[in-house]
Amino acid sequence: MENRIKPPAPGRRAGVRGRLLAGAATGVMAAGLLFAVAELLSAFFGTTSSPLTAVGSTFIDFTPAWMKNFAVATFGTNDKTVLLLSMAVVAVILSAVAGVLARRRFAAGAALVLAFAVVMAACVITRAGATVPDLFPLLAGTAAGLIALRYLAQAVARRQAAAAEDDDTTAQTPAAQPDAPQPTRRAFLVRSAVVAGAAVVVGVGAGALSSARNAAAKVRQALRLPAPARAAAPLPAGVQAPVAGVGRFITPSADFYRIDTALVVPQLDPGQWKLRVHGMVENEFTMTFDELLAADLVETYVTLTCVSNVVGGNLAGNAKWLGYPLREVLDRAKPKAGADMVLSTSSDGFSASTPLPVLQDKREALLAVAMNGEPLPLEHGFPVRMVVPGLYGYVSATKWVVDLEVTTFAAKAGYWTSRGWSSHGPIKTASRVEVPRALGRVPAGTVGIGGTAWAQQRGISKVEVQLDNGAWQPAALAAEASVDTWRQWSYMWEGATSGTHNVRVRAYDADGTLQIEKQAPPEPDGSTGWHSITFTVE
Ligand SMILES: Nc1nc2c(c(=O)[nH]1)N[C@H]1C(S)=C(S)[C@@H](COP(=O)(O)O)O[C@H]1N2
Ligand SMILES: [Mo]
């Protein structure tokens, strides 16, 4: 009683801080065990049952468009790492609070843990394809976490009681701290070691188990691809602009930009994979992976582009794809009159709305199984994804695709369309300067300027550059592989004078239509504006 009224002595203030820290540590350790146990069990129940993945994915799904833009613009393709780190920070803070509460009253700390378990349960059960058993890992983890919290809180309380007794006897001489650790303190340390050790061991086991059980990578490695029934026309000579430093015409798969809402890359087993084709069709059917590989596959070069790409950005990539024409899939399904859209859905619930006519016209829209001569990399949609020339990825390029529903734009909307983005997403004509680098330094003399332009489905007919606000000059165009691939360009600036210079680029599509000059952000249907950079000639 007396302790509460008297202002705390300096030594005692340090004691309060120590106890708060002990409480916080208690909470963090108990939460560590909770998540480790849940993740270990979710290795058996499947990714859908992982509370960490479910919470992160739910967060991603509720991220407003402006925040998504900000994340992509600020962190690029590291946006997921940033999300995971932020989640970890929030989890540490919340569990520390629960630990501090539990130190005083166990029920209060436990209530906080339970409240968050309920929130996590809501995230788990609302994921695509989740069923009630998916709650089990979270349930078991929460039980383990609460037991650990209780076990540690008891030790903290005992230590606190002992410290209070000490305070009564040593209050006059706060400097006289006992050197030897008291037994209560040792008990707390032992219990902490038990819980923290268990969390680490179980957590490491969870990691090992989930990678061992995810056989997709191994199956992919062993997969043999059939030869195409129709191979891509060989690339013409000279698709690469003759300026060192311009990007490769074919983007190596490892360097290909990756954009998706999947916090954990879906691991699909091709042996289990099925594509369901249904909706406004005469003939609903499902297709297995073997049936897909046995069909006549087509090979084609297509440049994919993300609607979130900013002027001069690098969310575009060009690859050789092998796949089954979606035209054939739809011929077999026989869409009914009135249908105008195909909603493609991935195993993790992402969806894209593609105009039906686009999938039926002459362009090579594919259910792709290979990228650059190899099975699709897991992060690019293994075992099957869509590739549709001429449309931004968010309305066409569904990775890990498992469902095609023939429907109407009036009835259904894709993932991003229901979040403020345009329902139709034709790719806008774009061009960018890649060499010199923005703010780069180059030697005097002849300066090689070069970059890439694209207008998928239409093709690029002309590119012009402008130096230091002078007259627009035609750039040399590299060879065109097809209207569905990007096209490189170059311009040799003879006798460049030393100093700071500016270069701008603009492209024309095959109709002679000039790229839009007005600067606009990506939302809602793709950025516009002429790319301009500044560089220094030495
Ligand atoms: N399943 C799934 N497929 C998806 C997405 C996604 O979030 N989930 N994002 C789309 C978007 S916005 C783009 S730009 C392309 C990117 O494909 P890539 O990662 O292979 O470059 O995939 C599309 N397909
Ligand atoms: Mo995208």
Side-chain angles (χ1 to χ4, degrees), residues 7-314:
R12 202 170 302 153
R13 209 176 290 141
V16 169
R17 209 182 302 137
R19 271 172 252 151
L20 277 180
L21 265 180
T26 297
V28 172
M29 287 185 280
L33 189 67
L34 184 161
F35 285 115
V37 167
E39 292 306 304
L40 181 79
L41 292 171
S42 76
F44 296 99
F45 285 73
T47 325
T48 336
S49 71
S50 153
L52 287 178
T53 310
V55 171
S57 306
T58 305
F59 187 85
I60 290 175
D61 288 351
F62 283 100
T63 303
W66 63 264
M67 205 195 283
K68 183 233 176 194
N69 291 349
F70 169 80
V72 171
T74 317
F75 311 115
T77 42
N78 291 324
D79 54 346
K80 291 193 188 78
T81 317
V82 173
L83 171 64
L84 286 172
L85 284 177
S86 327
M87 275 171 57
V89 169
V90 171
V92 165
I93 292 172
L94 287 175
S95 51
V97 171
V100 168
L101 287 176
R103 188 183 61 100
R104 297 216 154 202
R105 264 187 62 213
F106 176 72
L112 186 60
V113 172
L114 282 174
F116 282 100
V118 168
V119 172
M120 290 194 280
C123 294
V124 169
I125 205 68
T126 52
R127 296 313 300 159
T131 53
V132 172
D134 286 323
L135 290 172
F136 182 75
L138 173 63
L139 218 72
T142 306
L146 286 175
I147 291 169
L149 189 64
R150 170 110 228 182
Y151 177 68
L152 292 169
Q154 278 173 349
V156 175
R158 242 176 258 156
R159 190 185 145 193
Q160 209 171 306
E165 262 168 44
D166 275 5
D167 277 355
D168 286 344
T169 54
T170 60
Q172 308 317 115
T173 52
Q177 294 291 335
D179 286 339
Q182 308 106 306
T184 48
R185 171 173 208 157
R186 185 167 307 139
F188 174 67
L189 289 178
V190 167
R191 288 186 174 209
S192 299
V194 168
V195 173
V200 169
V201 168
V202 175
V204 169
L209 202 69
S210 74
S211 58
R213 289 180 66 90
N214 279 332
K218 272 176 238 144
V219 176
R220 176 181 177 273
Q221 206 101 58
L223 197 70
R224 309 247 320 141
L225 292 170
R230 185 150 37 86
L235 289 179
V239 289
Q240 188 75 37
V243 173
V246 173
R248 315 247 302 257
F249 180 76
I250 302 291
T251 314
S253 301
D255 301 340
F256 207 95
Y257 81 95
R258 175 188 165 201
I259 289 286
D260 54 58
T261 60
L263 196 52
V264 172
V265 176
Q267 310 255 347
L268 302 190
D269 175 358
Q272 305 285 313
W273 181 87
K274 273 194 192 68
L275 178 74
R276 179 169 174 234
V277 183
H278 64 113
M280 296 172 66
V281 294
E282 305 283 345
N283 180 32
E284 300 198 343
F285 63 96
T286 57
M287 224 178 160
T288 65
F289 191 63
D290 283 343
E291 284 167 350
L292 193 59
L293 291 193
D296 283 350
L297 302 187
V298 170
E299 198 184 55
T300 179
Y301 292 94
V302 177
T303 300
L304 291 190
T305 308
C306 183
V307 70
S308 294
N309 193 50
V310 293
V311 173
N314 58 8

